Amino acid sequence: MNYYFHVPFCASKCGYCAFYSLPGVGREVVDAYLDRLERTFVPCGRGETLYIGGGTPTFLTVEQMERFFKLLRSRIEFEEGAEISCEANPETLTPEKVALLRENITRLSMGVQSFDASVRNNIGRKCSDEALENAISLVRKAAFPHWNMDLIFALPGQSDEAFFAGAARALSCGADHISCYALTAEENAALKLPEDDERAAELMPAIARFLEGQGVCRYEISNFARPGAECRHNVNVWRGGLLSGHGPGACGFDGVDRWSNPPLEAWLKDTPPERDRISKAERLNEIFAVNLRTAAGWTPGLWAKVPGADGWQKRLKIIRTVASSMGEDWFIISEGRIALTGDGMMFWNSVAGEIFDYGT
Ligand code: SF4
């Protein structure tokens, strides 16, 4: 089973953020969150992966983090070699928290976003250079088995050179996974960004070349990793794996429906999740499209593992129809594999739209 826990608390709200996150809550709110998890969390199978995301899981105090990990460790039976990931923001890390994370997780994901303080400031990301350097030094010393850094590119006030210098810095710090995102203008975010899709689209192939030149390969539209450092949790979920999601706003997938938990207030009152009931054909098309975000794409064997999968020949028929209307050079199609080329990945949204609409 792939477990996901959403920790929706943050020290402050970043200007670009459109995620479900609650800035600056008091200690008692986090305690109520932990009480509810303790009261109701029942695992549903051995854990192959666990992903603790946010929000900012490291916003919790050391005592709260201890309580949280104790709860997870005592209830979930993990498979040998399970991947346990946790997101962290540099400004919240202390030596005690890093030590606790090192004891309990196998993969740390740090939201750096930019190594340039003025760029972080422009996007309302409150983290000083001192806090960032301190966090990097703590994490380097702790030597986590795997370490991701999130970096944003094509930002206002950020030169391309500065982005590449940041990516080089991330690798020199020992990160073996880099998630590269371009911000998109979000209606719910405080910061109103100019849409600059063209700049982002031009930059991504150069980023891929740069990172691949350093042995860090693109395995998903926004994600790069050294061999063996890919995020197993995400890979499983993209391939239609089961997802047991917990916490306010968390999503899950039981093999038939996706569902999402309500926001904190309702979640604390045990309000049940909302089910996203779509037909089986639509669900299969959705899963089929999502994993085309990955460089590996689908093989007959991977497709056969999708809950309720239909035949591989049907998938070939769908993708050939989509390719004939969109341009064959975006697609890699053979009896043994369906994937998108680098160019095709740039237009994943359009490809996915065609797949979603197929036969519905
Ligand atoms: S971007 Fe991340 S750290 Fe910033 S407010 Fe949103 S969830 Fe919190």
Side-chain angles (χ1 to χ4, degrees):
M1 176 55 68
N2 305 292
Y3 288 94
Y4 176 79
F5 282 75
H6 191 70
V7 183
F9 314 110
C10 290
S12 59
K13 190 84 176 169
C14 302
Y16 56 90
C17 181
F19 301 121
Y20 174 59
S21 68
L22 304 166
V25 300
R27 185 184 169 127
E28 68 292 350
V29 179
V30 180
D31 285 341
Y33 165 89
L34 293 170
D35 291 345
R36 156 70 153 94
L37 282 181
E38 273 180 358
R39 186 165 52 77
T40 60
F41 171 57
V42 180
C44 51
R46 275 158 57 91
E48 181 192 347
T49 70
L50 162 64
Y51 195 104
I52 304 165
T56 307
T58 48
F59 172 75
L60 273 58
T61 64
V62 174
E63 295 71 30
Q64 288 168 332
M65 283 176 65
E66 270 171 347
R67 191 178 160 200
F68 188 39
F69 281 123
K70 199 168 158 199
L71 165 73
L72 299 177
R73 290 267 175 200
S74 63
R75 299 217 185 149
I76 303 173
E77 188 192 338
F78 287 101
E79 290 178 4
E80 181 76 29
E83 177 192 86
I84 305 179
S85 301
C86 184
E87 293 180 352
N89 275 357
E91 69 277 17
T92 59
L93 288 179
T94 62
E96 295 76 21
K97 289 186 189 179
V98 173
L100 197 57
L101 288 165
R102 184 67 184 84
E103 273 171 39
N104 286 285
I105 69 170
T106 62
R107 183 175 180 277
L108 184 79
S109 179
M110 191 192 274
V112 172
Q113 317 312 354
S114 169
F115 282 94
D116 183 333
S118 64
V119 171
R120 292 197 301 275
N121 196 40
N122 284 348
I123 56 169
R125 179 81 187 80
K126 288 189 184 150
C127 177
S128 67
D129 276 342
E130 194 189 355
L132 178 57
E133 294 306 325
N134 186 40
I136 287 173
S137 155
L138 290 170
V139 173
R140 284 185 82 161
K141 270 192 220 135
F144 286 83
H146 296 293
W147 179 17
N148 169 63
M149 280 195 198
D150 286 344
L151 296 177
I152 306 179
F153 65 97
L155 284 171
Q158 178 194 45
S159 68
D160 297 351
E161 293 71 26
F163 173 81
F164 285 110
R169 173 84 206 282
L171 296 181
S172 73
C173 289
D176 60 2
H177 188 291
I178 299 191
S179 297
C180 294
Y181 297 94
L183 288 185
T184 45
E186 298 282 357
E187 233 177 75
N188 302 335
L191 184 73
K192 296 301 164 213
L193 284 163
E195 287 279 8
D196 200 352
D197 293 350
E198 229 168 80
R199 184 177 168 212
E202 276 170 21
L203 210 45
M204 195 37 134
I207 293 172
R209 277 196 302 279
F210 173 79
L211 290 174
E212 287 179 358
Q214 313 287 317
V216 183
C217 298
R218 187 183 196 183
Y219 72 101
E220 193 263 355
I221 291 176
S222 307
N223 287 288
F224 298 80
R226 294 202 185 279
E230 299 84 1
C231 177
R232 203 184 338 153
H233 177 88
N234 286 341
V235 168
N236 288 351
V237 171
W238 294 328
R239 290 178 179 166
L242 303 186
L243 179 64
S244 177
H246 303 272
C251 297
F253 177 52
D254 60 13
V256 179
D257 291 328
R258 285 194 200 285
W259 44 264
S260 47
N261 281 339
L264 182 72
E265 208 178 314
W267 180 79
L268 286 174
K269 291 181 189 147
D270 297 345
T271 304
E274 195 172 312
R275 292 202 159 250
D276 157 30
R277 290 198 186 277
I278 59 175
S279 69
K280 183 179 168 192
E282 287 171 305
R283 176 70 64 219
L284 289 176
N285 281 352
E286 177 200 276
I287 294 170
F288 183 57
V290 167
N291 196 46
L292 291 180
R293 294 178 61 87
T294 65
W298 292 107
T299 62
L302 289 176
W303 180 253
K305 288 185 190 156
V306 171
D310 49 16
W312 178 248
Q313 291 305 320
K314 176 160 183 198
R315 293 295 128 190
L316 282 170
K317 185 175 166 209
I318 292 174
I319 206 68
R320 283 183 179 130
T321 307
V322 171
S324 66
S325 71
M326 301 197 84
E328 308 275 343
D329 51 353
W330 290 357
F331 299 84
I332 299 164
I333 304 173
S334 69
E335 285 294 323
R337 184 165 168 235
I338 298 172
L340 297 183
T341 61
D343 284 349
M345 281 159 93
M346 296 304 301
F347 294 95
W348 177 83
N349 281 339
S350 310
V351 174
E354 291 286 315
I355 294 172
F356 292 152
D357 290 345
Y358 185 91
T360 58

